[in-house]
Short mmCIF file of all heavy atoms in Angstrom, two decimals:
data_model
loop_
_atom_site.label_atom_id
_atom_site.label_comp_id
_atom_site.label_asym_id
_atom_site.label_seq_id
_atom_site.Cartn_x
_atom_site.Cartn_y
_atom_site.Cartn_z
N ILE A 204 -3.35 4.81 7.25
CA ILE A 204 -3.15 3.37 6.91
C ILE A 204 -3.46 3.21 5.48
O ILE A 204 -4.53 3.76 5.05
CB ILE A 204 -4.09 2.62 7.90
CG1 ILE A 204 -3.60 2.59 9.28
CG2 ILE A 204 -4.09 1.06 7.38
CD1 ILE A 204 -2.11 2.05 9.55
N GLN A 205 -2.74 2.39 4.75
CA GLN A 205 -3.02 2.06 3.42
C GLN A 205 -3.12 0.45 3.32
O GLN A 205 -2.23 -0.21 3.87
CB GLN A 205 -2.12 2.67 2.37
CG GLN A 205 -2.50 2.10 1.04
CD GLN A 205 -2.37 3.16 -0.07
OE1 GLN A 205 -2.54 4.40 0.11
NE2 GLN A 205 -2.01 2.66 -1.28
N LEU A 206 -4.18 -0.13 2.67
CA LEU A 206 -4.34 -1.53 2.46
C LEU A 206 -4.12 -1.73 1.02
O LEU A 206 -4.88 -1.37 0.20
CB LEU A 206 -5.80 -1.99 2.92
CG LEU A 206 -5.92 -2.31 4.43
CD1 LEU A 206 -7.29 -2.35 4.69
CD2 LEU A 206 -5.16 -3.56 4.83
N PHE A 207 -3.12 -2.60 0.75
CA PHE A 207 -2.80 -2.88 -0.66
C PHE A 207 -3.42 -4.17 -1.21
O PHE A 207 -3.14 -5.15 -0.64
CB PHE A 207 -1.21 -3.02 -0.81
CG PHE A 207 -0.50 -1.71 -0.68
CD1 PHE A 207 0.03 -1.31 0.53
CD2 PHE A 207 -0.20 -1.07 -1.87
CE1 PHE A 207 0.74 -0.12 0.53
CE2 PHE A 207 0.55 0.22 -1.79
CZ PHE A 207 1.02 0.68 -0.58
N ASP A 208 -4.39 -4.01 -2.07
CA ASP A 208 -4.97 -5.19 -2.63
C ASP A 208 -4.68 -5.33 -4.16
O ASP A 208 -5.43 -5.15 -5.00
CB ASP A 208 -6.45 -5.26 -2.45
CG ASP A 208 -6.95 -6.72 -2.12
OD1 ASP A 208 -6.16 -7.62 -2.38
OD2 ASP A 208 -8.11 -6.83 -1.65
N THR A 209 -3.34 -5.61 -4.35
CA THR A 209 -2.72 -5.54 -5.83
C THR A 209 -3.45 -6.38 -6.75
O THR A 209 -3.59 -6.11 -7.87
CB THR A 209 -1.28 -5.99 -5.60
OG1 THR A 209 -0.60 -5.04 -4.62
CG2 THR A 209 -0.51 -5.74 -6.90
N TRP A 210 -4.01 -7.65 -6.30
CA TRP A 210 -4.55 -8.54 -7.07
C TRP A 210 -6.06 -8.55 -7.14
O TRP A 210 -6.72 -9.52 -7.53
CB TRP A 210 -3.94 -9.91 -7.09
CG TRP A 210 -2.39 -9.82 -7.16
CD1 TRP A 210 -1.54 -10.09 -6.20
CD2 TRP A 210 -1.67 -9.37 -8.37
NE1 TRP A 210 -0.29 -9.93 -6.77
CE2 TRP A 210 -0.25 -9.48 -7.96
CE3 TRP A 210 -2.11 -9.13 -9.66
CZ2 TRP A 210 0.67 -9.15 -8.92
CZ3 TRP A 210 -1.08 -8.62 -10.57
CH2 TRP A 210 0.32 -8.79 -10.15
N ALA A 211 -6.73 -7.52 -6.55
CA ALA A 211 -8.15 -7.54 -6.45
C ALA A 211 -8.82 -7.60 -7.82
O ALA A 211 -9.89 -8.30 -7.96
CB ALA A 211 -8.59 -6.17 -5.86
N GLY A 212 -8.20 -7.18 -8.86
CA GLY A 212 -8.71 -7.20 -10.21
C GLY A 212 -8.83 -8.61 -10.93
O GLY A 212 -9.37 -8.75 -11.92
N ALA A 213 -8.26 -9.60 -10.11
CA ALA A 213 -8.34 -10.92 -10.71
C ALA A 213 -9.68 -11.67 -10.29
O ALA A 213 -9.94 -12.74 -10.72
CB ALA A 213 -7.18 -11.77 -10.18
N LEU A 214 -10.46 -10.90 -9.56
CA LEU A 214 -11.70 -11.62 -8.93
C LEU A 214 -12.96 -11.19 -9.68
O LEU A 214 -13.22 -10.04 -9.80
CB LEU A 214 -11.77 -11.21 -7.41
CG LEU A 214 -10.76 -11.77 -6.41
CD1 LEU A 214 -10.79 -11.17 -5.12
CD2 LEU A 214 -10.82 -13.32 -6.46
N PRO A 215 -13.75 -12.22 -10.16
CA PRO A 215 -15.01 -11.84 -10.64
C PRO A 215 -15.91 -11.33 -9.55
O PRO A 215 -15.61 -11.48 -8.35
CB PRO A 215 -15.60 -13.20 -11.14
CG PRO A 215 -14.75 -14.26 -10.50
CD PRO A 215 -13.51 -13.58 -10.15
#
Side-chain angles (χ1 to χ4, degrees):
I204 290 300
Q205 176 141 329
L206 274 167
F207 288 91
D208 216 346
T209 305
W210 305 116
L214 295 170

